[in-house]
């Protein structure tokens, strides 16, 4: 009976020891031990001198004997491997952005899900001002509406194709179709296009509030050039560089204040540089045009990385390359 009891205790000790090691491995993998060490140091620093401490517990010998001196000597099989983290949107493509001979890559390597969601919400707020009244729309608001609805069409098309889980993905193709049609209609300022734009904006606001609508899907697949006009997207890129990027690079203080916004804009530029290089657009198979698009994409990726890392000099250099790529493209392929 006594030997049976010892066997049970030793077996229990092995199980407890293995469980303890596995638990420690999970804590290390999750980075919790670092946080615990920081917390311990903080608490220790806050203690007054000569503070009374709890006495070390004294374990009976039978408990001590239940554990191995080094359990690793008795464990078999390979050690668990550290989980691999996903590459960041702005870092995964940096190494081969310049050497790539195509403009086809995973969207998550260019823009992250948070940026897509944030931009959709920003455009929804902007449209509210442009659609405030018929007079505002007819007085020039229709031109910005055209750019905004075209950009929404691209954003939801990218959301539909996105290689990771992202908000609104289930019905994104239908939303892209709706916004694309509205973007093309806003080419002219009429009472009819104003009413349709108002309706689409109301539906978008409902979507942002969590309400769902059954939308009409096209009978045939929609090409890239049928989602947004090339000239309109180039206007969006020019507006981003001129109004959202350049003004915030005047000095290091401005740059640091707007670093998050700059990364956001740079990711969108990288996304658009990828988008306009797809089949369907004019010059898509022209090697010179594709080269300029690759230059723009690479510079935008570098801009996003520099903004995230608060590297002012690198951000300015990347912005200069973005401007040069855009200027060269406009000179050779003005729409």
């Amino acid at each position: 009976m006594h030997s049976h009891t010892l066997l049970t205790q030793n077996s229990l000790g092995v199980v407890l020891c293995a469980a303890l090691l596995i638990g420690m491995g999970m804590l290390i993998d999750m980075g919790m031990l670092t946080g615990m060490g920081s917390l311990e140091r903080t608490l220790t620093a806050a203690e007054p001198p000569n503070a009374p401490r709890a006495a070390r517990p004294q374990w009976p010998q039978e408990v001590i004997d239940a554990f191995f001196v080094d359990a690793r000597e008795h464990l078999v099989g390979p050690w668990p491997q550290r989980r691999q983290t996903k590459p960041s949107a702005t870092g995964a493509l940096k190494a081969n952005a310049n050497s790539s001979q195509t403009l086809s890559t995973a969207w998550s390597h260019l823009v992250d899900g948070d940026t897509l969601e944030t931009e959709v919400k920003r455009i929804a707020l902007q449209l509210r001002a442009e659609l405030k009244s018929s007079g505002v729309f007819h007085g020039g608001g229709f031109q910005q509406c055209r750019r905004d609805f075209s950009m929404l069409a691209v954003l939801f098309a990218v959301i539909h194709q996105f290689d990771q889980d992202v908000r609104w993905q289930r019905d994104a193709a239908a939303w892209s179709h709706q916004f694309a049609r509205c973007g093309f209609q806003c080419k002219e300022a009429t009472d009819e296009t104003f009413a349709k734009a108002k309706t689409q904006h109301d539906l978008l606001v409902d979507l942002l509030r969590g309400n769902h609508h059954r939308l009409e899907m096209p009978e045939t697949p929609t090409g890239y050039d049928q989602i947004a006009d090339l000239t309109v997207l180039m206007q969006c890129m020019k507006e981003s560089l001129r109004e959202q990027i350049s003004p915030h690079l005047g000095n290091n203080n401005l740059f640091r204040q707007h670093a998050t916004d700059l990364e956001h804009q740079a990711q969108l530029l990288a996304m658009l540089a990828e988008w306009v290089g797809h089949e369907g657009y004019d010059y898509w198979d022209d090697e010179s045009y594709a080269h300029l698009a690759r230059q723009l994409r690479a510079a935008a990726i570098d801009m996003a990385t520099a903004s995230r890392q608060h590297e002012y000099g690198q951000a300015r250099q990347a912005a200069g390359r973005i401007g040069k790529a855009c200027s060269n493209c406009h000179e050779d392929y003005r729409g």
Side-chain angles (χ1 to χ4, degrees):
M1 177 64 74
H2 180 66
S3 61
H4 176 73
T5 302
L6 288 178
L7 179 61
T8 302
Q9 290 175 345
N10 285 332
S11 300
L12 178 60
V14 172
V15 173
L16 291 174
C17 185
L20 179 62
L21 286 172
I22 293 172
M24 290 177 65
M26 293 173 64
L27 288 175
I28 293 172
D29 190 52
M30 294 171 64
M32 292 179 64
L33 288 179
T34 301
M36 291 170 64
S38 299
L39 177 60
E40 182 179 359
R41 289 191 297 273
T42 301
L43 293 175
T44 302
E47 291 178 351
N50 302 320
R53 303 296 297 271
R56 181 185 298 273
Q58 298 296 321
W59 301 103
Q61 190 61 40
E62 57 266 25
V63 173
I64 296 175
D65 293 341
F67 293 91
F68 294 114
V69 175
D70 188 350
R72 293 172 296 181
E73 298 177 354
H74 302 272
L75 296 176
V76 296
W79 286 83
Q81 299 297 314
R82 181 178 295 276
R83 291 173 294 180
Q84 298 296 318
T85 57
K86 294 180 180 179
S88 66
T90 56
L93 196 66
K94 185 176 180 180
N96 63 354
N98 286 302
S99 61
S100 173
Q101 295 303 307
T102 68
L103 284 172
S104 179
T105 190
W107 289 115
S108 65
H109 291 173
L110 304 173
V111 59
D112 58 45
D114 288 341
T115 297
L116 294 172
E117 181 178 341
T118 300
E119 185 64 11
V120 169
K121 293 177 179 178
R122 187 196 69 80
I123 292 177
L125 287 174
Q126 187 166 283
L127 280 169
R128 179 183 298 175
E130 297 156 9
L131 296 169
K132 184 177 181 180
S133 68
S134 176
V136 172
F137 182 80
H138 285 79
F142 72 97
Q143 295 173 327
Q144 186 61 49
C145 278
R146 185 187 180 201
R147 290 194 288 270
D148 285 342
F149 280 113
S150 297
M151 190 66 181
L152 283 172
V154 172
L155 288 168
F156 276 90
V158 171
I159 289 172
H160 172 65
Q161 300 173 8
F162 210 63
D163 49 299
Q164 297 177 6
D165 291 337
V166 65
R167 193 176 180 188
W168 309 309
Q169 194 166 40
R170 186 185 65 180
D171 301 316
W175 284 106
S176 177
H177 172 65
Q178 292 287 328
F179 294 135
R181 187 165 59 181
C182 190
F184 281 106
Q185 289 170 342
C186 285
K187 190 174 183 178
E188 298 180 356
T190 66
D191 291 339
E192 181 181 3
T193 56
F194 173 67
K196 289 182 176 179
K198 287 276 290 182
T199 299
Q200 287 301 315
H201 180 250
D202 290 342
L203 290 174
L204 174 59
V205 172
D206 266 359
L207 177 67
L208 298 183
R209 290 173 176 169
N211 300 322
H212 297 281
H213 298 271
R214 295 187 63 85
L215 300 178
E216 175 187 352
M217 278 292 295
E219 296 181 359
T220 57
T222 302
Y224 286 83
D225 59 324
Q226 296 173 297
I227 292 176
D229 185 82
L230 178 61
T231 302
V232 173
L233 295 184
M234 287 188 170
Q235 291 172 354
C236 291
M237 289 189 278
K238 181 180 179 180
E239 183 179 87
S240 174
L241 179 61
R242 183 181 59 194
E243 299 182 11
Q244 304 297 330
I245 293 179
S246 296
H248 300 148
L249 291 172
N251 56 63
N252 191 34
N253 288 335
L254 273 175
F255 167 69
R256 287 183 172 273
Q257 291 172 16
H258 298 278
T260 300
D261 294 334
L262 288 169
E263 182 183 2
H264 174 95
Q265 292 296 326
Q267 286 191 19
L268 293 175
L269 279 178
M271 178 192 76
L272 290 177
E274 171 81 12
W275 182 273
V276 300
H278 281 87
E279 182 176 357
Y281 286 117
D282 293 337
Y283 318 116
W284 76 274
D285 56 350
D286 184 301
E287 178 52 35
S288 178
Y289 173 84
H291 178 68
L292 288 171
R294 288 196 296 270
Q295 286 184 332
L296 174 59
R297 186 184 67 179
I301 292 170
D302 288 344
M303 174 79 194
T305 302
S307 299
R308 188 178 66 253
Q309 297 176 351
H310 287 189
E311 295 288 347
Y312 175 57
Q314 294 179 17
R316 280 183 59 88
Q317 291 177 3
R321 289 161 50 207
I322 290 172
K324 183 178 180 181
C326 288
S327 297
N328 290 341
C329 185
H330 291 163
E331 289 176 4
D332 296 338
Y333 302 97
R334 188 178 299 277

